[in-house]
Amino acid sequence: MATDTKDLARPAGAAALMELLPSRPRLLGLGEPTHREEALLDLRNDLVRQLVEEEGYRTLAIESDCLRGLVVDEYVTHGTGTLDEALEQGFSHEWGACAGNRDLVRWMRARNAAVPEPERIRFAGIDGPLEITGAESPRRALTALHGYLAARLDAGLLPCTAQTLDRLLGPDDRWTDPAAMADPSRSVGRTADAGRLRLLADELAALLEEQTPHLLAATSRDALDRARLHGRTALGLLRYHHWMADRSPARMARLVGVRDHMMAGNLLALARRGPTLVHAHNSHLQRWRSAVRMWQGPVEWWSAGALVAAELGEGYAFVATALGTIRHQGVDAPPPDSVEGLLYALPEDRCVVDPARLAAALRDAPPQPRVSPWFGYAPLDPNHLEECDGLLFVKDLPRR
């Protein structure tokens, strides 16, 4: 492919990224095409530090359990607990074992300890309490929401007692049965108890909003925001369990759609609080429709990025990351007629590329999609270059 790209790239850094954007977005998504690669976490950490210090971002969110993330936030903002406890208890998907996340949390705590409270940076998880094998019981979120309201409102306003919730929830292991992911008949998501819980969760979340002036006066904005998080999570989990019990061909599409809808709700809440960075897989942050092939066939859904972009418009920006090689996973040098192949010919190991200029340069010689031999890496889709606001390229990931 005879396309000159040498003038399209700049060394990777926050300043180069921000120059691609018309203004500082309220929500800036930094995507990655694969997980658990320390080199990508190191790059993320470099950009986070620069974007916090130079651009005023004050919340960092990652693709991890939103309720567990409260533990990390308490540690980095107030020093509650220890670093080890924050890593062990505050992350899902084994993210706490990553050296890059340890470095990030340690840096956030050290920075916050040296500045006044209004200047401190916050941490958040955006994912629901979900794993690939299933979902958590709604108990933790639902009882926290009920407890917050019961401590501050007249009991007659609440739709039920804590004892009623406990009876309807039953043992947690009936919600977390891993066999339910492959066998809908094992799910309790469409039982009469689950249906009653969905109605009660909706009533509790509505009561929370109806009583906002009183609750703000009685507690704090942070406490109210946490209760709202519990409400969103309880409703999202009950909806997720409902679709786990479904037997139709739409089941998996609805499950991944519900998951990203939960992420989007959390992101919009964080963006209302102030300038927010989010780091997650490209497929959760991109503006276009996401797709993946699962055991029952292809599945498509609208990502959290697409949902928040529809709400925020230019207040949302998406920076995708593309890779050259992951040799320890069998991903060797990209074909020269792919976008990654073009960028692989550049001298920089890590660079920022303007995707609009790159797409224009490729118009007369459209690149071919790259096909990964490893399921854990998602190559860049060349048909959607112009829907990215920025592009990070990392030439080679070091062997583990």
Side-chain angles (χ1 to χ4, degrees):
M1 185 184 296
T3 303
D4 187 1
T5 59
K6 64 179 183 297
D7 295 328
L8 299 180
R10 293 188 55 190
L17 276 182
M18 297 306 289
E19 286 178 7
L20 300 178
L21 310 177
S23 60
R24 182 186 70 179
R26 200 183 329 168
L27 180 62
L28 175 57
L30 301 175
E32 63 175 6
T34 187
H35 282 326
R36 303 185 66 77
E37 290 293 340
E38 293 292 352
L40 295 183
L41 297 183
D42 290 344
L43 173 58
R44 175 205 64 187
N45 291 353
D46 289 345
L47 292 171
V48 166
R49 285 188 284 266
Q50 295 168 36
L51 288 163
V52 165
E53 303 295 355
E54 299 168 16
E55 300 296 335
Y57 282 91
R58 288 295 177 263
T59 297
L60 171 65
I62 73 164
E63 187 185 330
S64 183
D65 184 330
C66 58
L67 299 187
R68 290 193 186 190
L70 296 171
V71 175
V72 182
D73 188 52
E74 281 293 319
Y75 174 72
V76 299
T77 54
H78 303 299
T80 305
T82 66
L83 175 61
D84 284 341
E85 289 169 345
L87 292 165
E88 291 167 8
Q89 302 170 22
F91 290 87
S92 60
H93 307 90
E94 300 182 352
W95 277 118
C98 294
N101 285 330
R102 173 176 286 271
D103 292 343
L104 175 73
V105 173
R106 183 192 293 116
W107 173 78
M108 291 178 73
R109 177 61 201 141
R111 185 195 179 281
N112 283 345
V115 300
E117 187 164 352
E119 297 178 27
R120 291 175 186 170
I121 45 177
R122 306 287 299 272
F123 179 92
I126 63 163
D127 208 349
L130 311 170
E131 295 288 349
I132 193 65
T133 54
E136 183 177 294
S137 163
R139 177 183 300 278
R140 178 169 50 148
L142 199 48
T143 55
L145 172 61
H146 186 278
Y148 174 83
L149 292 169
R152 294 162 181 87
L153 299 178
D154 186 282
L157 292 174
L158 273 68
C160 66
T161 65
Q163 291 75 22
T164 297
L165 285 182
D166 186 62
R167 175 178 57 79
L168 292 170
L169 286 161
D172 285 348
D173 58 7
R174 70 175 185 152
W175 296 92
T176 57
D177 180 2
M181 180 52 74
D183 182 0
S185 69
R186 300 290 294 271
S187 172
V188 297
R190 296 196 177 188
T191 60
D193 286 350
R196 177 66 177 157
L197 285 167
R198 284 187 78 180
L199 178 60
L200 291 174
D202 182 70
E203 290 291 337
L204 289 167
L207 183 60
L208 182 73
E209 298 307 318
E210 292 165 16
Q211 295 292 322
T212 293
H214 168 73
L215 295 170
L216 271 179
T219 57
S220 66
R221 173 64 66 179
D222 265 3
L224 179 61
D225 285 346
R226 182 175 292 208
R228 285 172 168 160
L229 171 62
H230 284 124
R232 289 193 305 273
T233 305
L235 285 165
L237 279 171
L238 287 163
R239 190 176 298 116
Y240 194 89
H241 281 288
H242 175 84
W243 283 102
M244 283 190 71
D246 183 61
R247 298 171 182 270
S248 79
R251 180 177 185 260
M252 289 309 302
R254 287 310 313 272
L255 285 173
V256 293
V258 168
R259 181 189 180 196
D260 270 66
H261 182 256
M262 292 174 72
M263 290 186 184
N266 291 332
L267 285 171
L268 289 170
L270 294 171
R272 284 191 288 270
R273 191 168 73 188
T276 298
L277 293 164
V278 55
H279 184 250
H281 198 279
N282 286 335
S283 63
H284 292 305
L285 298 180
Q286 64 196 30
R287 285 189 173 87
W288 57 95
R289 196 160 171 80
S290 298
V292 68
R293 178 167 290 278
M294 306 187 79
W295 64 86
Q296 84 294 351
V299 175
E300 294 187 355
W301 74 101
W302 288 108
S303 74
L307 297 176
V308 298
E311 183 73 19
L312 298 180
E314 292 186 356
Y316 176 66
F318 168 53
V319 177
T321 298
L323 299 175
T325 70
I326 321 173
R327 296 191 193 278
H328 53 277
Q329 298 291 1
V331 181
D332 293 322
D337 61 351
S338 65
V339 172
E340 290 90 345
L342 271 172
L343 299 177
Y344 196 73
L346 298 173
E348 294 87 352
D349 291 327
R350 308 190 317 185
C351 61
V352 170
V353 178
D354 182 339
R357 291 183 60 204
L358 178 59
L362 296 174
R363 202 153 285 145
D364 294 333
Q368 296 302 304
R370 185 184 190 185
V371 178
S372 172
W374 176 50
F375 73 94
Y377 163 60
L380 193 67
D381 186 338
N383 296 315
H384 294 285
L385 271 179
E386 292 181 272
E387 294 173 71
C388 301
D389 298 287
L391 180 62
L392 286 167
F393 182 71
V394 178
K395 196 166 191 176
D396 299 292
L397 292 187
R399 293 183 183 273
R400 291 179 183 173

